[in-house]
Short mmCIF file of all heavy atoms in Angstrom, two decimals:
data_model
loop_
_atom_site.label_atom_id
_atom_site.label_comp_id
_atom_site.label_asym_id
_atom_site.label_seq_id
_atom_site.Cartn_x
_atom_site.Cartn_y
_atom_site.Cartn_z
N ILE A 615 3.26 0.26 -6.69
CA ILE A 615 3.65 -0.83 -7.63
C ILE A 615 3.76 -0.26 -9.02
O ILE A 615 2.84 0.36 -9.52
CB ILE A 615 2.62 -1.97 -7.57
CG1 ILE A 615 2.56 -2.51 -6.14
CG2 ILE A 615 2.96 -3.07 -8.56
CD1 ILE A 615 1.32 -3.31 -5.85
N LYS A 616 4.91 -0.49 -9.64
CA LYS A 616 5.17 0.06 -10.97
C LYS A 616 5.45 -1.01 -11.99
O LYS A 616 5.90 -2.10 -11.66
CB LYS A 616 6.33 1.06 -10.89
CG LYS A 616 6.08 2.24 -9.97
CD LYS A 616 7.27 3.20 -9.95
CE LYS A 616 6.95 4.38 -9.02
NZ LYS A 616 8.08 5.33 -8.94
N ASN A 617 5.17 -0.69 -13.25
CA ASN A 617 5.51 -1.58 -14.33
C ASN A 617 7.03 -1.69 -14.44
O ASN A 617 7.71 -0.66 -14.54
CB ASN A 617 4.91 -1.03 -15.67
CG ASN A 617 5.12 -1.93 -16.84
OD1 ASN A 617 6.26 -2.21 -17.24
ND2 ASN A 617 4.01 -2.39 -17.40
N LYS A 618 7.51 -2.91 -14.46
CA LYS A 618 8.97 -3.12 -14.42
C LYS A 618 9.66 -2.63 -15.70
O LYS A 618 10.82 -2.27 -15.69
CB LYS A 618 9.27 -4.62 -14.22
CG LYS A 618 8.88 -5.14 -12.84
CD LYS A 618 9.13 -6.62 -12.69
CE LYS A 618 8.69 -7.10 -11.32
NZ LYS A 618 8.87 -8.59 -11.18
N THR A 619 8.90 -2.60 -16.79
CA THR A 619 9.48 -2.18 -18.05
C THR A 619 9.44 -0.67 -18.25
O THR A 619 10.45 -0.04 -18.59
CB THR A 619 8.74 -2.84 -19.23
OG1 THR A 619 8.76 -4.27 -19.05
CG2 THR A 619 9.41 -2.49 -20.56
N THR A 620 8.24 -0.06 -18.01
CA THR A 620 8.06 1.35 -18.29
C THR A 620 8.29 2.24 -17.07
O THR A 620 8.50 3.45 -17.20
CB THR A 620 6.64 1.60 -18.82
OG1 THR A 620 5.68 1.28 -17.76
CG2 THR A 620 6.36 0.74 -20.05
N GLY A 621 8.23 1.64 -15.85
CA GLY A 621 8.33 2.44 -14.65
C GLY A 621 7.06 3.18 -14.31
O GLY A 621 7.01 3.97 -13.33
N GLU A 622 5.98 2.98 -15.09
CA GLU A 622 4.71 3.67 -14.82
C GLU A 622 3.95 2.98 -13.69
O GLU A 622 3.97 1.75 -13.54
CB GLU A 622 3.86 3.63 -16.10
CG GLU A 622 2.52 4.31 -15.97
CD GLU A 622 1.62 4.11 -17.18
OE1 GLU A 622 2.02 3.37 -18.11
OE2 GLU A 622 0.53 4.66 -17.21
N SER A 623 3.25 3.80 -12.90
CA SER A 623 2.46 3.25 -11.80
C SER A 623 1.36 2.34 -12.35
O SER A 623 0.74 2.64 -13.35
CB SER A 623 1.84 4.37 -11.00
OG SER A 623 0.85 3.90 -10.10
N LYS A 624 1.09 1.25 -11.63
CA LYS A 624 0.00 0.35 -11.99
C LYS A 624 -1.32 0.77 -11.33
O LYS A 624 -2.35 0.12 -11.53
CB LYS A 624 0.33 -1.08 -11.56
CG LYS A 624 1.44 -1.76 -12.36
CD LYS A 624 1.58 -3.21 -11.92
CE LYS A 624 2.64 -3.94 -12.73
NZ LYS A 624 2.75 -5.37 -12.30
N GLY A 625 -1.28 1.85 -10.54
CA GLY A 625 -2.49 2.26 -9.84
C GLY A 625 -2.75 1.43 -8.61
O GLY A 625 -3.89 1.35 -8.13
N LEU A 626 -1.72 0.81 -8.07
CA LEU A 626 -1.85 0.01 -6.84
C LEU A 626 -0.69 0.33 -5.91
O LEU A 626 0.39 0.72 -6.34
CB LEU A 626 -1.75 -1.50 -7.23
CG LEU A 626 -2.81 -2.02 -8.20
CD1 LEU A 626 -2.44 -3.43 -8.69
CD2 LEU A 626 -4.19 -2.09 -7.57
N GLY A 627 -0.94 0.18 -4.60
CA GLY A 627 0.12 0.49 -3.66
C GLY A 627 -0.05 -0.21 -2.32
O GLY A 627 -1.10 -0.80 -2.03
N TYR A 628 1.04 -0.15 -1.51
CA TYR A 628 1.04 -0.74 -0.18
C TYR A 628 1.23 0.37 0.84
O TYR A 628 1.98 1.34 0.59
CB TYR A 628 2.17 -1.72 -0.01
CG TYR A 628 2.07 -3.01 -0.75
CD1 TYR A 628 2.72 -3.20 -1.96
CD2 TYR A 628 1.26 -4.06 -0.27
CE1 TYR A 628 2.61 -4.41 -2.65
CE2 TYR A 628 1.14 -5.26 -0.94
CZ TYR A 628 1.83 -5.41 -2.15
OH TYR A 628 1.73 -6.62 -2.83
N VAL A 629 0.57 0.25 1.98
CA VAL A 629 0.82 1.14 3.13
C VAL A 629 1.07 0.25 4.34
O VAL A 629 0.22 -0.61 4.66
CB VAL A 629 -0.37 2.08 3.41
CG1 VAL A 629 -0.04 2.99 4.61
CG2 VAL A 629 -0.69 2.94 2.17
N ARG A 630 2.21 0.43 5.01
CA ARG A 630 2.56 -0.39 6.15
C ARG A 630 2.49 0.46 7.41
O ARG A 630 3.14 1.50 7.54
CB ARG A 630 3.99 -0.96 5.98
CG ARG A 630 4.59 -1.62 7.20
CD ARG A 630 4.06 -3.03 7.42
NE ARG A 630 4.70 -3.64 8.56
CZ ARG A 630 5.86 -4.27 8.55
NH1 ARG A 630 6.55 -4.40 7.42
NH2 ARG A 630 6.33 -4.85 9.63
N TYR A 631 1.65 0.03 8.36
CA TYR A 631 1.50 0.74 9.63
C TYR A 631 2.32 0.04 10.73
O TYR A 631 2.75 -1.08 10.57
CB TYR A 631 0.02 0.78 10.05
CG TYR A 631 -0.81 1.71 9.21
CD1 TYR A 631 -1.52 1.24 8.11
CD2 TYR A 631 -0.90 3.06 9.50
CE1 TYR A 631 -2.30 2.09 7.33
CE2 TYR A 631 -1.66 3.93 8.72
CZ TYR A 631 -2.33 3.44 7.65
OH TYR A 631 -3.11 4.30 6.87
N LEU A 632 2.48 0.76 11.84
CA LEU A 632 3.24 0.18 12.96
C LEU A 632 2.37 -0.78 13.77
O LEU A 632 2.89 -1.69 14.38
CB LEU A 632 3.76 1.29 13.87
CG LEU A 632 4.83 2.21 13.26
CD1 LEU A 632 5.23 3.28 14.27
CD2 LEU A 632 6.04 1.42 12.79
N LYS A 633 1.06 -0.57 13.75
CA LYS A 633 0.18 -1.41 14.56
C LYS A 633 -0.98 -1.95 13.73
O LYS A 633 -1.47 -1.28 12.82
CB LYS A 633 -0.43 -0.56 15.71
CG LYS A 633 0.58 -0.01 16.70
CD LYS A 633 -0.11 0.81 17.76
CE LYS A 633 0.87 1.39 18.76
NZ LYS A 633 0.14 2.22 19.77
N PRO A 634 -1.41 -3.20 14.03
CA PRO A 634 -2.55 -3.79 13.33
C PRO A 634 -3.81 -2.93 13.48
O PRO A 634 -4.60 -2.85 12.54
CB PRO A 634 -2.75 -5.15 13.99
CG PRO A 634 -1.38 -5.47 14.56
CD PRO A 634 -0.79 -4.17 14.97
N SER A 635 -4.01 -2.30 14.62
CA SER A 635 -5.21 -1.51 14.83
C SER A 635 -5.26 -0.32 13.88
O SER A 635 -6.33 0.10 13.45
CB SER A 635 -5.27 -1.01 16.29
OG SER A 635 -4.13 -0.23 16.60
N GLN A 636 -4.07 0.19 13.53
CA GLN A 636 -4.02 1.34 12.62
C GLN A 636 -4.38 0.90 11.19
O GLN A 636 -5.11 1.58 10.47
CB GLN A 636 -2.64 1.96 12.65
CG GLN A 636 -2.28 2.57 14.01
CD GLN A 636 -0.82 2.92 14.15
OE1 GLN A 636 0.04 2.44 13.39
NE2 GLN A 636 -0.50 3.77 15.10
N ALA A 637 -3.89 -0.28 10.79
CA ALA A 637 -4.22 -0.82 9.47
C ALA A 637 -5.73 -1.10 9.39
O ALA A 637 -6.37 -0.83 8.37
CB ALA A 637 -3.42 -2.09 9.21
N ALA A 638 -6.28 -1.67 10.46
CA ALA A 638 -7.71 -2.00 10.50
C ALA A 638 -8.54 -0.71 10.38
O ALA A 638 -9.56 -0.66 9.68
CB ALA A 638 -8.06 -2.73 11.76
N ARG A 639 -8.09 0.33 11.07
CA ARG A 639 -8.81 1.63 11.01
C ARG A 639 -8.76 2.18 9.61
O ARG A 639 -9.78 2.76 9.12
CB ARG A 639 -8.21 2.60 12.03
CG ARG A 639 -8.95 3.91 12.09
CD ARG A 639 -8.30 4.91 13.00
NE ARG A 639 -8.95 6.22 12.89
CZ ARG A 639 -8.37 7.38 13.17
NH1 ARG A 639 -7.13 7.38 13.65
NH2 ARG A 639 -9.05 8.50 13.05
N ALA A 640 -7.63 2.11 8.96
CA ALA A 640 -7.49 2.63 7.59
C ALA A 640 -8.45 1.91 6.66
O ALA A 640 -9.12 2.53 5.82
CB ALA A 640 -6.04 2.48 7.12
N ILE A 641 -8.51 0.60 6.76
CA ILE A 641 -9.42 -0.20 5.91
C ILE A 641 -10.87 0.22 6.15
O ILE A 641 -11.67 0.36 5.22
CB ILE A 641 -9.23 -1.69 6.14
CG1 ILE A 641 -7.85 -2.13 5.62
CG2 ILE A 641 -10.32 -2.52 5.48
CD1 ILE A 641 -7.49 -3.56 5.97
N GLU A 642 -11.19 0.42 7.44
CA GLU A 642 -12.60 0.71 7.77
C GLU A 642 -13.01 2.12 7.41
O GLU A 642 -14.13 2.36 6.94
CB GLU A 642 -12.76 0.51 9.29
CG GLU A 642 -14.17 0.80 9.79
CD GLU A 642 -15.16 -0.23 9.38
OE1 GLU A 642 -14.75 -1.37 9.03
OE2 GLU A 642 -16.37 0.07 9.39
#
């Protein structure tokens, strides 16, 4: 996620997995 004006990273991001079990494992 980037600042729309400056293009600088906000220090936040998304990761999309193919399976819910993989997302759950990443969180854990």
Side-chain angles (χ1 to χ4, degrees):
I615 300 162
K616 298 180 179 179
N617 184 297
K618 293 177 181 177
T619 305
T620 65
E622 180 187 4
S623 168
K624 290 184 177 181
L626 301 168
Y628 290 100
V629 180
R630 169 79 178 274
Y631 289 94
L632 294 180
K633 298 179 181 179
S635 59
Q636 296 167 342
R639 183 184 172 204
I641 291 172
E642 180 70 21

